Amino acid sequence: MNVFLPADILTLATAKVCYENYKKTHSDTENANAPARYAMVELENIHNEALKFSPIHRIVTETDEEALLEELQKTCCAPEGYPVQWYTKERQGVLYLNPNKSRLAVAILQNFLDEYLKNHRGQMDYIHGEEVLKNLAEKENAVGFLLPAMEKRELFPYVTESGTLPRKTFSMGHATEKRYYLEARQIR
């Protein structure tokens, strides 16, 4: 029997919920032998110097880039704050996200984009790599945001204060190494 888990299972907590749901529809014997009761996890020492937190950038396509940038400036920016570079086909610049809104630039931007896209046209995507982001922002009606990397020392204070991190806050490793996530999706 093969058990295919959704692609977004990246946390042990989510894997546990999937198994709990599985148990509801299967017998005790099936549950005891179910591959879904196992999860692949990777334990990391975040203090290891070899481990780098890389930012995951944001791009919004199929949008009115001027309206998006104007609304972001109006609702989330301050004269000083977290610098976030932005790119469009014709222009580029820097916005300073107001640090009073969150401890993390990614949280401010993610919350803004989630709310903005509820009422405006556009598609958001998550991008690994600065050059990839800049190339994608060259398309019509697109605006890319180059986020600063989260510092390791910010992880636990943020989680203690705010709970879960915004989705796609950081990546450990390079985009080309992400194939391991795909290899771990099917549990036999």
Side-chain angles (χ1 to χ4, degrees):
M1 174 176 85
N2 292 330
V3 177
F4 295 96
L5 301 175
D8 63 346
I9 293 184
L10 297 177
T11 67
L12 187 57
T14 305
K16 183 177 183 333
V17 169
C18 288
Y19 178 55
E20 294 299 328
N21 290 337
Y22 177 90
K23 288 193 318 187
K24 293 175 187 175
T25 59
H26 294 81
S27 71
D28 288 344
T29 304
E30 290 172 312
N31 290 335
N33 298 313
R37 65 186 280 222
Y38 301 100
M40 182 180 290
V41 297
E42 180 179 356
L43 298 177
E44 297 280 350
N45 175 0
I46 67 165
H47 302 292
N48 184 328
E49 291 180 21
L51 183 66
K52 304 287 186 221
F53 280 13
S54 300
I56 301 177
H57 310 296
R58 307 299 192 263
I59 190 161
V60 180
T61 57
E62 303 170 25
T63 194
D64 179 339
E65 63 224 38
E66 291 302 320
L68 186 150
L69 288 168
E70 184 178 307
E71 187 68 20
L72 177 60
Q73 180 74 38
K74 185 170 70 175
T75 60
C76 297
C77 291
E80 294 180 357
Y82 307 121
V84 173
Q85 293 177 295
W86 57 268
Y87 298 88
T88 67
K89 183 175 183 176
E90 303 293 327
R91 302 180 320 140
Q92 66 183 45
V94 177
L95 294 169
Y96 296 93
L97 298 178
N98 187 342
N100 294 326
K101 292 191 169 280
S102 177
R103 294 175 77 114
L104 297 176
V106 65
I108 298 167
L109 184 62
Q110 185 67 52
N111 291 336
F112 167 79
L113 292 175
D114 287 344
E115 286 303 311
Y116 183 85
L117 292 174
K118 286 180 184 176
N119 301 312
H120 300 85
R121 67 183 176 89
Q123 300 293 318
M124 180 174 28
D125 203 356
Y126 305 92
I127 307 300
H128 295 262
E130 187 173 329
E131 290 307 314
V132 174
L133 178 83
K134 289 176 182 178
N135 288 336
L136 290 170
E138 287 286 321
K139 295 180 180 177
E140 285 292 331
N141 304 313
V143 57
F145 298 96
L146 193 65
L147 286 160
M150 176 184 184
E151 298 292 328
K152 292 179 188 181
R153 70 183 187 293
E154 296 175 299
L155 178 61
F156 294 114
Y158 182 89
V159 171
T160 300
E161 178 185 290
S162 304
T164 58
L165 292 166
R167 70 183 162 277
K168 309 283 186 177
T169 296
F170 64 88
S171 175
M172 294 184 289
H174 301 285
T176 55
E177 297 166 352
K178 298 302 175 193
R179 65 174 242 241
Y180 300 113
Y181 290 143
L182 299 175
E183 292 171 2
R185 284 179 55 200
Q186 183 178 359
I187 299 174
R188 292 185 181 263

